[in-house]
Structures are given as structure tokens and as C-alpha cells.
Amino acid sequence: MRSFQLRALGPARALGAAVFAAVLTPSVLVAQASGLGQQSLRPYWHVFAAYTLVILLVAAWAFSIGRRLKDVENRLSD
Amino acid sequence: MSTYLRQLAAIVRKDLVLEFRSKDRLVAMGAFAVLAAVLFNFSLDNASVRPRDVLAGLVWMTLVFGGLLGVGRTFHLEAEDDAFRGLMTSPAPKDAVYLAKVVVNFVLVYGLSVLALGVFSLFLAVDVGANLPGTLLVLALGALGFVALSTLFAAVSTGTTMGETLLPVLVFPLLLPMVVFGAGATGRLIAGRPFAEVAGNVRVLGAFAVAAVAAGAVLFRFVVEE
Amino acid sequence: MSTAGVRRGGTALTLIGLAGLIGLFWLSFFWVSTEVNQGVAQRIFYVHVPAAWTSFMAIGISALCSGVYLWLRDERLDRAALAAAEGGFVFATIVLVTGPLWGKIAWGTYWTWEPRLTLTLLLWFIFLGYFMVRGSTEDPEKGKRFAAVVALVGAIDIPFIHVSVLWFRSLHPQPVVAKAEGPTLPQDMLTTLLVGVLVFTVLFFGLFLMRYALEGLRAELQLRERRTSS
């Protein structure tokens, strides 16, 4: 039972780290671009938003599958 | 083959008789077309919109919404009286049942669209006389494609707990080609353009109708199986 | 393959895909050159187009599995069709949120009836219908058949929708839209795009396998519950 839980946590943790790293990358880009002045900043924000939404949607789907998997496995092992 | 056609004709006759006796759907769809024309008339600002330019779009929207209103109830009688089992265990093949329903619905929806054309032309004072045969052909092909898809999905939605509420979600996305080519062609024909200009539209509408009828005839058996 | 094996494979592919996604982000932020006409916003292209590709592949897989399911009635095919549809729904959502973000910069409006964007919007609704049908039947077997019919008819209809949105577009001349794609795409942009397509495909199949395994476990659970109740 315990080893099973550790196994289930593995991918979840890796996913979390990946999300963190990937969200961090565009924000570095925006920070770099901030010197360019007000008008030209808008495209950077849109790119940032788009890439963040990609990560969020993929992660949301992955987490939802993970949660449902864990739920079914718990009920199966009862 | 002749047996098949005879069975088909028998179901069509039975459904048409039922339809014209009860007149439920006839009255509802006819009233819908006229009332939609009244409401559309008051929703348009005649000072800024020329009715001639929007007539085709309004007729097609009336076809879609009013048609769905009627077609959604295709299988209600069977579902309520539990007559579906009877129809399904009858020797007639299931595609014949589907095609018969398509024929009956086509009669209703085509009638609705022609009525809508007339009523809109009357209320909005637009002359649709130019290219009338072409316009009627375009409406017929559109009505056939519409009926083929919506009859199949009426069978699906009747089997769900959501019922007819589900029908627009399933059917509207699939109807886009019909609306684009149908309303486009109707608009040009009403504006007096030659039929040759919309021949391409008519071909696509025809292909769409054929594909929809074929897909419905093949897939209907999987929707109604016990 | 056993359900556990599928699940392990799915997890591995997903992790590879996520690593690839970070690589793709790095490529499109720091490596690929900026497009001359559209500037930075064009970088959305590298996630937008692969997501679109994946969502259309998904409806293809879903329709194919649905068709064979109706023929052979193998539960595994229905599970695959469901998993593909869910993935297609997620990736179509990505297309629909990234497209307007790009369009606002490139064209000045969030929404235009750009043919492929329109097509994706309708695809999204076809997937929505698929899930609504599946979820609103009392008999699960019936829901599977209904959903299979929805996926099949949707896939058959997509070429027609494509033709019609292209035709509608030609009717209404639009201001000249700078086209990012085309045969003249510079080498580094093409490479980034192809990496994007590969990464999204791997990610899709990774999650697809996990979703497929989930449905397998659910069936196992149902079987066990039925056995204990009888």
C-alpha cells in the first residue's frame, strides 16, 4: 500500500516541477523585454499568456487523469 | 429491392397519415415560420438594413430553428407509446425506417422553408420571383441535408435523458456547410444573379445531402439497436 | 499489453513530452529568429499550430476507433475513442485560446473568421457534443454507441466544414493577413515548428495512454462491483 502511494506521487511531483520550470521561463523573457518601452510590451504579454495557458491546460488534463487514476486504484485495492 | 421500396413506402404512408391527422408538427412549424417572420421584422431597423440583403439569411435561420423544432419530435410518438420496439422488430430493415423518417421530415421541413420564403417575401416586401425555381432547388437540397443529419441525431437525443435540449449542440456545428453554401446561393439568386453563378454551391449542397443521407442510413441501426 | 503496462508507458511518454515541451519553449524563446513582419507575437505559432494538428489527429483517431467499435464491439476501441476525444478537446481548447492572443497582435482583433480557427471552434463543439451524449444516457452501452455515431459523423463532416469556411472567406475579402506559414518558412522556424508538432504528438499519446488505462481500470472496477453484488 505504502509503496503504491510513493509510486503515484512520483509522476505528480515531476509534473509539478516541470510546470514550475516552464512557467518561470516566459517570465524571464518578459523581464528581459521590460526595457523596450510601453508600446512594444503588449506582444510579449500575449506570448507569455499563450505559453502559460498551454502549460496550464496540459497540466490540468494530466492532473485530472492522475486524480481519477488514484481514485479508481484506491477503490480497486479496497 | 421492390420489397424494400414497398416497405419504405408503407412506413412513409403510415407516418404521413399520422402527421396529417394529428397536425401537431404541421401547425407548430407553420406558426413558427410566420411568427419568426413577424419577430425578425421588428428586430431589424429598416432605416439601416435593407431587407433584401438579409432575407436569405433569415429564411435559412428559420429553416434551421423551425426545422429542429419539428424534427426533434420525430421519434416521440414511438418513444411514448413504446411503439419503437414494434417498428424495430418489424421485417423492414432499419435503414428503411430511417429513410422513411427522412422522407416525412423532408416534406415538413421543405414545406416550412418554402412557407418561410413566401412569408418573409410578403412581410419584408422583397420580390423573390427572379430565379424562383433555382431558389426552390437550393432550399430543397439544403432541407434534405438538414433533415438527414437532424433525423439521425433526433434518434440519438430521444434516447438520452436530456432529450431535445441536446439536439442543437449536436447538429448546429455540422450544419455550417449547408448554411454557408445554401444561404450564399439563395442570397445571390434572390438578388437576380444567374443560376450558373451558384452552380458550384448547388453541387456542394448536393454532395452534402448525399453524404448525410448515406451516413444516416448506415449509422441509424447503431442508434436504435436494443 | 496489461493496463499497468499501458499506464507505465503513458507516464513515461508524458514525462518525455513535458521535457520536450520545456525544450520547445526554450527553442521558441531563445533560439528561433523573430519573424520580420509580425515580431514577437508570431512565436505563439509554435504552440498554436502543433495543438491544432494534434486536435485534428485526435478526432481522426476517435472516429476511426468509433467506427471499428461499432463493427467489432471491442470495449478497448471505445476506450481509445474516448481517450482521443478528451485529448482532442484539450488541444482544441489550446488552439482556441492561443489563436485570439496571436490574432489581437497580428490582425488587431481577438476573433476573425479565419478558416482554420473557425474549423477548430466547430471541432470543439463536436467534442462537446460527444461528451454530452456519453454523459446523458442511463445505459452506458447506449452512450458508447451514440458517442461513436457523433464522432463518426463529425469526422465525415469536417471536410465539408473546411471547404465551406474557405469559400465563405473568399466571399468576404479581408485585410491582407500576414501569413506565417507557407513554403517560404525559414529553416529555423520550420525546425521549431516540427519540434513543436513532435512534442505535442508525444504529449498527446502519453496522456492518451494514461487516459486509456484509466478507462480500463474503471471497467475492471465495474466488473468487480457487479461480481460482488451478484
Side-chain angles (χ1 to χ4, degrees):
Chain A
M1 187 62 212
R2 187 169 156 69
S3 70
F4 148 73
Q5 270 182 346
L6 271 177
R7 241 190 309 134
L9 255 171
R13 244 186 224 155
L15 256 175
V19 170
F20 180 72
V23 169
L24 204 67
T25 321
S27 56
V28 170
L29 187 81
V30 171
Q32 284 175 339
S34 58
L36 293 174
Q38 201 55 45
Q39 289 112 329
S40 58
L41 208 58
R42 181 92 190 258
Y44 285 87
W45 276 112
H46 280 233
V47 174
F48 171 73
Y51 277 68
T52 311
L53 283 168
V54 170
I55 285 288
L56 286 179
L57 283 167
V58 170
W61 189 35
F63 278 125
S64 114
I65 294 174
R67 193 177 43 77
R68 285 179 283 176
L69 266 173
K70 214 181 285 180
D71 187 45
V72 173
E73 276 174 344
N74 280 343
R75 282 169 62 190
L76 266 176
S77 61
D78 281 346
Chain B
M1 193 62 205
S2 71
T3 333
Y4 185 86
L5 286 180
R6 232 180 305 122
Q7 287 166 333
L8 183 67
I11 307 172
V12 170
R13 203 174 315 122
K14 179 213 76 173
D15 279 349
L16 278 178
V17 165
L18 276 177
E19 211 58 68
F20 282 95
R21 264 195 209 144
S22 76
K23 297 187 189 63
D24 286 350
R25 292 203 289 168
L26 277 177
V27 175
M29 289 165 82
F32 180 90
V34 178
L35 289 171
V38 171
L39 288 187
F40 273 138
N41 177 59
F42 288 103
S43 71
L44 295 173
D45 181 358
N46 280 341
S48 57
V49 181
R50 287 198 312 167
R52 191 182 190 81
D53 297 338
V54 292
L55 183 85
L58 296 184
V59 169
W60 278 83
M61 284 301 99
T62 309
L63 190 165
V64 169
F65 292 125
L68 217 54
L69 188 76
V71 174
R73 293 188 65 83
T74 308
F75 299 100
H76 262 240
L77 217 53
E78 280 88 349
E80 272 167 22
D81 297 353
D82 212 19
F84 219 69
R85 202 172 300 246
L87 202 56
M88 285 306 133
T89 48
S90 83
K94 281 167 189 157
D95 36 309
V97 175
Y98 168 77
L99 290 175
K101 293 287 183 188
V102 166
V103 170
V104 174
N105 281 337
F106 175 76
V107 171
L108 288 173
V109 172
Y110 190 50
L112 167 88
S113 60
V114 173
L115 177 67
L117 184 71
V119 169
F120 275 103
S121 147
L122 180 71
F123 283 3
L124 300 177
V126 177
D127 180 18
V128 295
N131 292 317
L132 191 60
T135 311
L136 291 178
L137 172 68
V138 168
L139 282 178
L141 288 175
L144 182 59
F146 169 80
V147 160
L149 280 179
S150 54
T151 304
L152 176 68
F153 285 110
V156 169
S157 69
T158 307
T160 66
T161 49
M162 285 180 73
E164 281 148 83
T165 339
L166 196 56
L167 204 47
V169 182
L170 297 178
V171 177
F172 281 178
L174 305 174
L175 288 180
L176 188 90
M178 194 201 90
V179 171
V180 165
F181 288 108
T186 311
R188 288 190 193 188
L189 289 174
I190 288 174
R193 314 286 302 183
F195 185 77
E197 202 173 287
V198 298
N201 290 32
V202 172
R203 271 199 294 276
V204 180
L205 279 176
F208 184 78
V210 169
V213 171
V218 172
L219 293 175
F220 183 70
R221 74 198 66 182
F222 299 116
V223 175
V224 293
E225 75 183 37
E226 287 296 311
Chain C
M1 209 179 352
S2 69
T3 304
V6 171
R7 195 195 151 171
R8 265 197 303 279
T11 312
L13 264 185
T14 306
L15 290 176
I16 294 171
L18 284 172
L21 195 61
I22 293 169
L24 173 70
F25 278 26
W26 188 85
L27 277 182
S28 63
F29 285 137
F30 301 117
W31 181 73
V32 75
S33 49
T34 303
E35 213 266 337
V36 186
N37 295 316
Q38 291 191 42
V40 173
Q42 185 265 345
R43 282 165 207 257
I44 293 175
F45 176 69
Y46 306 115
V47 289
H48 178 75
V49 174
W53 146 255
T54 315
S55 62
F56 283 97
M57 182 180 68
I59 183 74
I61 294 173
S62 189
L64 197 69
C65 293
S66 296
V68 187
Y69 169 73
L70 287 178
W71 178 32
L72 297 177
R73 297 302 159 94
D74 189 326
E75 291 298 318
R76 285 173 297 182
L77 288 162
D78 171 68
R79 286 175 216 155
L82 172 64
E86 205 172 286
F89 189 66
V90 171
F91 284 96
T93 310
I94 290 180
V95 177
L96 291 178
V97 297
T98 54
L101 283 169
W102 183 11
K104 179 67 183 165
I105 305 294
W107 306 323
T109 75
Y110 280 108
W111 186 264
T112 61
W113 292 103
E114 203 278 324
R116 276 152 295 184
L117 203 57
T118 312
L119 186 59
T120 312
L121 180 68
L122 292 171
L123 177 68
W124 192 86
F125 276 107
I126 291 171
F127 282 131
L128 182 70
Y130 180 93
F131 296 118
M132 285 178 83
V133 161
R134 250 192 121 92
S136 60
T137 48
E138 275 151 8
D139 174 13
E141 298 305 314
K142 209 179 187 180
K144 288 172 190 173
R145 278 187 281 121
F146 285 3
V149 168
V150 171
L152 266 175
V153 178
I156 295 168
D157 207 37
I158 277 175
F160 283 100
I161 302 178
H162 189 59
V163 170
S164 60
V165 289
L166 283 174
W167 186 82
F168 187 77
R169 173 66 168 237
S170 67
L171 249 192
H172 299 250
Q174 304 264 337
V176 180
V177 172
K179 267 203 165 167
E181 52 270 86
T184 52
L185 204 64
Q187 190 57 49
D188 61 332
M189 294 187 192
L190 189 65
T191 307
T192 313
L193 177 66
L194 290 179
V195 169
V197 168
L198 184 71
V199 164
F200 273 66
T201 308
V202 169
L203 207 50
F204 170 80
F205 278 111
L207 289 161
F208 166 83
L209 287 177
M210 282 169 74
R211 184 67 184 80
Y212 175 84
L214 166 63
E215 216 51 38
L217 288 175
R218 276 189 181 161
E220 215 172 288
L221 185 68
Q222 254 169 13
L223 196 69
R224 188 180 297 185
E225 274 171 358
R226 214 175 304 149
R227 215 177 284 149
T228 47
S229 70
S230 64

